[in-house]
């Protein structure tokens, strides 16, 4: 009779061990998933803020100037920068000041206003040298 009790107790302990291992694996997987969800949410927020900064930049008045020029929107903490180039082209960038994510738009400046070019939106800097993509490195002030 004691042998039946020991085998039952062994089976119960084994089930408890398997259950705790399963719970630990599930908890680990859930915590990794939560980090991924938080990263995704942050990216979506940063992307939306960069899009808003880009649209805000399109509405601003931009004087003709060489090199980068930037404007800040302090309430929303947007930063929009413009690089005017030859042949009536310019490159506008927009970002949240707290984020590294920046979006770009080819535009045509006319009468101190910007007009987006067709198919000109891009999510990476199209300039050939990465150092030219940094408004602060480009010599313009805020």
């Amino acid at each position: 009779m004691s042998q039946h009790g020991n085998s039952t107790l062994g089976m119960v302990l084994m089930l408890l061990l398997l259950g705790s291992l399963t719970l630990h694996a599930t908890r680990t997987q859930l915590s990794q998933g939560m980090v991924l969800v938080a990263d995704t949410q942050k990216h979506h927020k940063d992307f939306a803020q960069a899009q808003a900064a880009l649209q805000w930049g399109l509405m601003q008045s931009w004087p003709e100037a060489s090199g980068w020029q930037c404007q800040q929107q302090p309430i929303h903490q947007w930063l929009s920068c413009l690089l005017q180039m030859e042949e009536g082209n310019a490159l506008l960038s927009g970002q949240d000041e707290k984020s590294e994510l920046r979006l770009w738009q080819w535009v045509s400046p006319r009468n101190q206003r910007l007009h987006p070019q067709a198919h000109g939106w891009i999510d990476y800097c199209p300039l050939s040298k990465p150092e030219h993509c940094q408004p602060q490195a480009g010599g313009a002030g805020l």
Side-chain angles (χ1 to χ4, degrees), residues 53 56 60 71-80 95 97:
W56 175 79
Q60 301 310 301
Q71 295 186 33
Q72 292 176 303
Q73 204 290 343
I75 294 172
H76 299 290
Q77 296 183 323
W78 294 333
L79 179 64
S80 189
Q95 74 180 100
E97 291 178 341

Side-chain angles (χ1 to χ4, degrees), residues 29-47:
Q29 193 172 26
L30 180 62
S31 66
Q32 289 172 347
M34 299 264 299
V35 168
L36 182 62
V37 167
D39 286 348
T40 302
Q41 284 179 331
K42 183 181 178 335
H43 177 76
H44 284 291
K45 180 184 171 279
D46 291 346
F47 189 86

Side-chain angles (χ1 to χ4, degrees), residues 54-71:
L54 197 59
Q55 288 302 312
W56 175 79
L58 282 170
M59 307 310 259
Q60 301 310 301
S61 177
W62 296 90
E64 279 195 43
S66 62
W68 282 104
Q69 52 181 317
C70 297
Q71 295 186 33

